[in-house]
Amino acid sequence: MRVLHEAQKEPKASIQAEPSSETPDKRGGVTRRSFLGWSAVAGAGLGLVGCSTQKNPYSIHGQALVANGTGRTDVDKTVWSACTVNCGSRCPLRLQVKDGQVVRVLPDNTGTDELGNQQVRACPRGRSIRHRIYNPDRLKHPLKRKAGTKRGDDQWEEISWDQALTEIAQKMKEIKRDYGNEAFYINYGTGVLGSTMSCSWPPNTTPVARLLNLYGGYLDHYSDYSTTGITQAYPYFYGGWQNTNSLDDVMNSKLQVMFGNNPQETRMSGGGQTFVTQYVKQHANVKTIVIDPRYSETSIALGDEWVALRPGTDAALIAGMIYVMIKEGLHDQAFLDKYCVGFDENTLPEGAPKNSSYRAYLEGKGPDKTAKTPQWAARITGVPAKRIEQLAREIAGAKPCAISQGWGPQRHANGENAARAIFLLAAVTGNIGIPGGGTGGREGGSSLPVDPIFNTEYTNPSNKIISVFGWLDAIERGPELDTFNAGVGVKPEPGVRALKVPVDEDGNPTNTKLEVPIKAVFNYGSNSLVNQTGDNNRSVEILQNEENCELIVTCDIMKTVTARYSDYILPGTSTSEESDFHQGENATPMAYGIVSQQAIKPLYECKSIFDICTLLAEKLGLKDEFTGGKTREEWLEATIAAAREEDPDLPTYAQWKEMGIYRRKVDSEVPMADFREDPQANPLDTPSGKIEIYSKRLQDMGQKWHFGQIHEQRKGDKLTALPEYIETWEGPAEAQENPDYPLQVIGHHFKGRTHSSYGNVEWLKEAHVQTVWLNPIDAKTRGIKNDDLVFVYNPRGTIRLPAKVTTRISPGTVSVPQGAWYDPKPSTEVKPPKGANPNKPVDVNGSVNTLTSLHPTPLAKGMGVHTTLAQVVKA
Ligand SMILES: Nc1nc2c(c(=O)[nH]1)N[C@H]1C(S)=C(S)[C@@H](COP(=O)(O)OP(=O)(O)OC[C@H]3O[C@@H](n4cnc5c(=O)[nH]c(N)nc54)[C@H](O)[C@@H]3O)O[C@H]1N2
Ligand SMILES: Nc1nc2c(c(=O)[nH]1)N[C@H]1C(S)=C(S)[C@@H](COP(=O)(O)OP(=O)(O)OC[C@H]3O[C@@H](n4cnc5c(=O)[nH]c(N)nc54)[C@H](O)[C@@H]3O)O[C@H]1N2
Ligand code: SF4
Ligand SMILES: [Mo]
């Protein structure tokens, strides 16, 4: 059965041909004529203008569309640049410059439409980069919050660079004196993830970290907002992170099953996963089943079937399917016996109680005494029992089957278990470590052997580390936080993303405490102070108390929401104003890298983060150590030179500058093939060396973990040895019982923006309208029609935005694309609806984090923001 849905109901982009005029608009000299030229190119190439429902994908990426255009011929130069935001792709751009201004943006014109030599075509966001460079929100001068105002009042004094950096240095000295270096924090920020010298994340790769290392250190964080749940789930199942097979390897599969994985929207580069998946579809036509509460862009472009489940219920769906497989003998018992621990009673580790195997869980012999029949799973997931049976048979029968997950399923209240359950399905069907199969993780990507060297010289003297999601707690009540109540730890080995909970010599987890609260926050390339973290209104409350955090410094190119709540705002340069190296992303079987050249001079008083940190280092008496005697450009050259020492086939810096993008074909990835081949010789990094379906470590940690100390304990806050389904706070069960907030809100990653980046580009806003997706059944009972303005609210906050009434989302679920810019209006200006919290402002831009919670997930202490309940009413 193919579920055909009304993709065509998607609001059409309303960019219209208007009479051309040469009048430069106020955003920096773009002419109406060049705008039209651009939009035609982008529309044709990427389905921007109302053709997102295109069914034959290859016609989008067809040979005829390989770009070779020369663009404008009246320009002074055309230089290579790149789009460096965190979208999981990385696209070269060719910027055409005339009279010192970028006048046109062209995509890659090298490469072909062959796998391994892909042309890396930018998506509509990258192609609209001129509207970021010359955006009215661009920061022009250093700003200081006006004396007597509170954070967020948005009253600023323009100051000189010298004054800004003198005052920041002075405040840093005071904080160091009073609290020590662990009171300094570099906040999560991925806006410049794609650069090397200007990199904004992970913290230790940033110029800010180099400076703080020299100054005595800072409190670091582990994991990221993308993957907190799955990152912490991995070690207990596989011993560490394992990608699934690369997407080109799906050529070898009989079936592809994607759980909450939406590369057509989350990897939009025309040379990356969008291209690879569509190529595979075209050439191998592997049947694809997408399991997602939404009929996503990936369901449209690749899906043969869509299975709509309630958010947060993947582990139940999987239990129901495995129940059927076991009953009908369709599972791979030999794989489970040889490679896994704890599926059956006889492979449980020593010390595990009787009836604690996964089989016992399925058969209802475990503590809950409930058999995990398809009927049981149907009640939880909303997927009919018959469909669960069919799916089980189809997945077990397809040899091999490529099972993958995006990161939607794990960004939930007990997302760690959802992630492990999807790995489990890959294990039970014996698909791990073979071509055409997979680990149930997410696909990875190959990279070139070019590593940043600027930051390897000095290490952080502080060894303490907190979860990326725990910083607001560390601001409010730092010294109360420890390993067992908040996941505080000591730094893992380089290259390991997850926290390794320290253990004593008997293997028992030991406790690490924070000594001091966070007193200074540096946000570079980050809109995660407010907007991207969760519960905007509560975050503001914490930040507005200046007894908590004493110094907030933000360096951005835009006057963002985060900037609004800071003490000092420093205007940074955009990629077009810098030269840098950009590692390619997620294009296997191709690895590539881009060297960009400075296209234009820094606008206004903007400075690169290297220059800003150099000036701040000078104020702290550390300038020479910070620069290491090199300019930014010299460091960049040295980075490429160091890489060439390892791999002389790489181009020289000078050659690379000229060619812009350098690419090479690489092998497909089949992770864990060596383990499959010989598990004794290649054991996993788990205590048993095997795949741990039952994790004794989680069982033991569960006894020590304290819930309810830092945040109130909520339903589902527990660690379980098995990847079982856990009913959680604000999950589907609560939705069905709670008439006040009966709708589950997820906030998918959206083509109109990369998080909040590009969220202020008018063209993109017009083409990709911020709406709340609502099923017609839910709309009808509320008297809501497509395009009606509605309120979405819960006790944490209220947002106002238009409704998109569509069968592309399952009943009972709504989605508010994440990343819109929080714009709170007091009740005197916009009255909250009846039933909403009257003490909270109405966010008239529809930022989903006005609704989400700061409640951390149980194991990772991470982001569970796709778990949220709310009500929707007509405005
Ligand atoms: N509810 C909800 N919240 C979420 C998510 C979700 O799914 N749901 N997803 C989470 C995830 S996965 C992530 S990764 C985070 C992302 O959160 P962030 O990493 O904060 O990402 P952005 O919102 O894109 O903010 C990046 C900032 O970098 C700035 N920037 C861009 N280019 C430059 C530059 O060249 N120089 C300087 N100085 N600044 C620049 C941008 O203007 C922007 O303000 O959001 C998380 N938040
Ligand atoms: N255009 C664009 N691309 C991006 C980004 C962006 O902001 N915009 N952000 C980038 C970043 S940093 C990241 S981390 C990635 C994020 O990539 P993901 O985390 O994979 O993206 P999401 O949209 O959160 O989730 C993917 C899908 O999971 C579905 N989903 C939600 N809850 C569940 C569930 O419980 N079960 C199942 N089966 N499905 C569920 C959603 O509807 C969605 O279609 O995207 C990257 N790419
Ligand atoms: S947003 Fe991502 S896919 Fe789009 S141009 Fe930028 S790097 Fe490429
Ligand atoms: Mo992310």
Side-chain angles (χ1 to χ4, degrees):
M1 174 192 73
R2 181 180 155 72
V3 187
L4 277 176
H5 272 269
E6 307 165 280
Q8 61 275 18
K9 276 209 173 158
E10 169 132 21
K12 293 270 196 292
S14 55
I15 291 179
Q16 282 168 7
E18 287 172 28
S20 82
S21 120
E22 289 295 333
T23 326
D25 86 5
K26 52 182 183 300
R27 281 185 287 273
V30 56
T31 63
R32 181 59 66 185
R33 182 166 292 164
S34 61
F35 164 92
L36 287 172
W38 177 92
S39 68
V41 171
L46 286 130
L48 170 69
V49 186
C51 54
S52 61
T53 57
Q54 185 111 21
K55 198 52 208 173
N56 178 355
Y58 208 58
S59 67
I60 298 176
H61 287 288
Q63 200 68 26
L65 289 166
V66 170
N68 55 14
T70 47
R72 275 172 66 161
T73 51
D74 62 339
V75 295
D76 303 326
K77 58 179 180 181
T78 301
V79 303
W80 286 99
S81 187
C83 177
T84 55
V85 295
N86 178 15
C87 75
S89 299
R90 181 71 49 244
C91 300
L93 299 170
R94 290 179 301 135
L95 302 184
Q96 295 201 290
V97 181
K98 188 171 164 60
D99 301 331
Q101 278 204 39
V102 178
V103 292
R104 188 141 190 197
V105 180
L106 302 173
D108 186 14
N109 63 347
T110 65
T112 61
D113 256 343
E114 292 154 299
L115 280 183
N117 189 40
Q118 295 112 270
Q119 186 170 82
V120 187
R121 288 182 290 272
C123 83
R125 296 187 297 276
R127 295 189 199 199
S128 71
I129 203 163
R130 226 151 51 84
H131 288 253
R132 280 178 80 222
I133 302 170
Y134 300 112
N135 195 288
D137 292 331
R138 266 303 287 262
L139 293 163
K140 300 180 176 64
H141 313 283
L143 299 174
K144 177 186 179 180
R145 178 161 60 90
K146 272 200 180 147
T149 66
K150 61 178 192 309
R151 291 179 182 141
D153 282 355
D154 210 10
Q155 307 262 326
W156 301 95
E157 188 189 333
E158 220 171 272
I159 56 173
S160 68
W161 274 106
D162 190 60
Q163 185 188 343
L165 297 169
T166 305
E167 290 183 13
I168 292 168
Q170 182 54 37
K171 191 70 199 168
M172 285 172 70
K173 287 177 191 164
E174 288 167 25
I175 290 173
K176 185 180 164 89
R177 180 196 63 208
D178 296 342
Y179 299 95
N181 277 79
E182 281 168 4
F184 296 126
Y185 186 68
I186 302 176
N187 200 17
Y188 188 65
T190 62
V192 207
L193 180 97
S195 287
T196 302
M197 289 308 298
S198 290
C199 188
S200 68
W201 193 86
N204 65 347
T205 61
T206 66
V208 185
R210 180 171 163 107
L211 176 58
L212 287 178
N213 286 345
L214 284 165
Y215 193 55
Y218 63 96
L219 179 66
D220 206 349
H221 63 242
Y222 57 86
S223 196
D224 49 63
Y225 282 178
S226 321
T227 67
T228 25
I230 195 170
T231 296
Q232 287 303 124
Y234 266 123
Y236 301 97
F237 198 89
Y238 286 132
W241 187 284
Q242 299 284 359
N243 292 332
T244 196
N245 297 15
S246 52
L247 286 170
D248 57 311
D249 175 68
V250 174
M251 285 277 200
N252 300 312
S253 309
K254 290 286 187 307
L255 177 69
Q256 171 168 232
V257 183
M258 301 172 108
F259 285 86
N261 195 4
N262 186 18
Q264 307 305 301
E265 188 156 14
T266 60
R267 300 281 185 255
M268 278 175 68
S269 150
Q273 295 179 348
T274 292
F275 170 76
V276 175
T277 50
Q278 293 188 1
Y279 183 97
V280 169
K281 188 80 193 159
Q282 176 75 10
H283 288 83
N285 200 20
V286 176
K287 179 173 174 182
T288 297
I289 301 176
V290 179
I291 301 178
D292 195 309
R294 288 184 320 119
Y295 188 60
S296 64
E297 309 303 283
T298 299
S299 315
I300 292 171
L302 305 179
D304 296 285
E305 287 176 15
W306 171 40
V307 177
L309 83 176
R310 293 197 181 103
T313 64
D314 298 79
L317 179 70
I318 287 164
M321 287 198 284
I322 299 178
Y323 182 95
V324 176
M325 291 177 193
I326 298 299
K327 198 164 149 228
E328 301 183 6
L330 306 173
H331 66 299
D332 191 337
Q333 187 67 43
F335 184 89
L336 294 169
D337 291 340
K338 184 167 177 192
Y339 300 98
C340 305
V341 159
F343 188 83
D344 293 282
E345 292 289 306
N346 63 357
T347 56
L348 278 171
E350 209 178 306
K354 196 162 178 288
N355 285 327
S356 57
S357 65
Y358 195 79
R359 189 187 283 270
Y361 165 74
L362 289 181
E363 290 172 347
K365 294 180 182 155
D368 68 359
K369 300 279 174 256
T370 307
K372 307 303 172 313
T373 60
Q375 290 71 22
W376 168 87
R379 279 193 298 276
I380 294 168
T381 60
V383 181
K386 267 264 155 305
R387 188 75 196 90
I388 296 174
E389 286 171 14
Q390 287 166 351
L391 263 181
R393 290 180 196 128
E394 189 170 3
I395 292 172
K399 303 264 179 230
C401 179
I403 297 167
S404 71
Q405 63 183 303
W407 297 327
Q410 56 91 54
R411 210 174 284 106
H412 276 279
N414 202 317
E416 294 92 338
N417 272 19
R420 281 196 298 149
I422 301 168
F423 305 152
L424 172 67
L425 185 64
V428 169
T429 51
N431 278 301
I432 294 165
I434 52 172
T439 63
R442 192 172 189 174
E443 65 290 340
S446 322
S447 48
L448 291 177
V450 181
D451 297 315
I453 58 166
F454 178 56
N455 260 350
T456 50
E457 217 170 335
Y458 309 110
T459 50
N460 185 354
S462 164
N463 207 23
K464 293 263 174 70
I465 192 157
I466 59 170
S467 158
V468 63
F469 198 58
W471 63 280
L472 281 164
D473 291 333
I475 286 180
E476 263 207 313
R477 44 208 297 201
E480 292 170 49
L481 270 55
D482 66 26
T483 308
F484 301 141
N485 66 21
V488 175
V490 291
K491 219 168 261 181
E493 309 87 80
V496 176
R497 298 159 64 118
L499 173 70
K500 207 163 188 174
V501 176
V503 289
D504 63 18
E505 61 241 15
D506 299 325
N508 297 314
T510 56
N511 209 357
T512 305
K513 270 174 71 67
L514 279 195
E515 303 298 328
V516 292
I518 292 172
K519 285 287 168 186
V521 177
F522 298 88
N523 300 287
Y524 163 57
S526 163
N527 202 2
S528 288
L529 187 74
V530 179
N531 213 66
Q532 291 306 116
T533 292
D535 200 342
N536 290 330
N537 294 325
R538 173 79 185 116
S539 304
V540 167
E541 218 174 88
I542 296 170
L543 295 166
Q544 279 183 338
N545 180 352
E546 284 176 48
E547 281 177 23
N548 282 336
C549 185
E550 296 178 13
L551 175 67
I552 302 180
V553 180
T554 291
C555 170
D556 205 292
I557 54 173
M558 303 291 176
K559 181 84 171 311
T560 59
V561 176
T562 284
R564 201 161 72 216
Y565 294 93
S566 307
D567 300 326
Y568 292 91
I569 315 180
L570 307 177
T573 38
S574 75
T575 312
S576 61
E577 292 144 71
E578 300 173 349
S579 308
D580 218 324
F581 170 75
H582 316 279
Q583 183 69 257
E585 283 203 75
N586 288 319
T588 311
M590 183 176 87
Y592 68 99
I594 305 154
V595 167
S596 61
Q597 285 183 57
Q598 186 185 38
I600 53 169
K601 293 216 181 74
L603 296 182
Y604 317 106
E605 279 194 88
C606 298
K607 287 187 191 300
S608 76
I609 191 70
F610 180 92
D611 288 347
I612 295 170
C613 288
T614 303
L615 292 170
L616 186 56
E618 193 171 5
K619 302 282 179 200
L620 297 169
L622 296 166
K623 182 179 171 190
D624 292 344
E625 293 90 331
F626 178 79
T627 62
K630 289 194 184 74
T631 63
R632 189 179 176 284
E633 183 93 3
E634 284 165 354
W635 274 108
L636 183 55
E637 274 188 64
T639 306
I640 305 294
R644 290 193 76 246
E645 273 176 31
E646 300 296 314
D647 185 341
D649 289 345
L650 292 169
T652 64
Y653 180 61
Q655 288 165 337
W656 213 328
K657 254 171 109 162
E658 197 56 40
M659 70 200 319
I661 173 169
Y662 165 79
R663 43 167 75 73
R664 61 169 64 146
K665 191 167 182 355
V666 294
D667 292 338
S668 310
E669 253 195 278
V670 182
M672 298 179 72
D674 56 347
F675 171 73
R676 177 92 191 217
E677 180 71 31
D678 188 343
Q680 263 78 43
N682 306 296
L684 301 180
D685 195 15
T686 51
S688 62
K690 294 188 173 184
I691 295 169
E692 298 201 341
I693 293 170
Y694 177 98
S695 169
K696 175 86 174 27
R697 281 183 299 172
L698 281 180
Q699 178 69 20
D700 294 346
M701 278 163 58
Q703 313 301 314
K704 291 233 172 193
W705 238 230
H706 294 308
F707 295 101
Q709 284 186 353
I710 304 303
H711 291 264
E712 60 163 334
Q713 180 160 14
R714 299 188 73 180
K715 192 172 170 191
D717 285 343
K718 60 174 173 179
L719 308 188
T720 61
L722 294 173
E724 55 192 85
Y725 172 69
I726 306 278
E727 211 173 281
T728 71
W729 55 273
E730 298 191 38
E734 207 174 301
Q736 287 159 67
E737 290 155 12
N738 186 341
D740 292 337
Y741 308 107
L743 297 168
Q744 290 187 265
V745 185
I746 51 173
H748 65 278
H749 290 233
F750 180 48
K751 60 192 156 191
R753 297 179 292 268
T754 301
H755 311 292
S756 70
S757 296
Y758 287 102
N760 57 345
V761 170
E762 292 303 326
W763 287 1
L764 293 169
K765 280 164 84 166
E766 204 182 336
H768 306 298
V769 180
Q770 176 73 359
T771 56
V772 48
W773 294 35
L774 188 68
N775 185 278
I777 295 171
D778 296 318
K780 193 164 175 220
T781 55
R782 289 166 177 78
I784 293 167
K785 289 198 281 307
N786 197 41
D787 281 343
D788 278 353
L789 205 57
V790 299
F791 289 112
V792 187
Y793 66 86
N794 65 21
R796 291 180 290 269
T798 302
I799 61 175
R800 193 186 66 186
L801 73 177
K804 167 182 169 122
V805 177
T806 173
T807 47
R808 286 183 59 188
I809 189 147
S810 43
T813 304
V814 302
S815 191
V816 177
Q818 67 98 13
W821 295 32
Y822 171 62
D823 187 5
K825 300 284 183 221
S827 56
T828 44
E829 230 173 285
V830 182
K831 205 164 161 289
K834 199 164 146 266
N837 187 335
N839 303 317
K840 304 283 181 186
V842 175
D843 168 9
V844 296
N845 245 354
S847 167
V848 72
N849 279 328
T850 302
L851 302 169
T852 61
S853 167
L854 292 173
H855 195 81
T857 64
L859 170 64
K861 302 296 174 195
M863 183 175 241
V865 285
H866 287 347
T867 296
T868 298
L869 293 186
Q871 179 59 289
V872 179
V873 293
K874 202 167 159 176

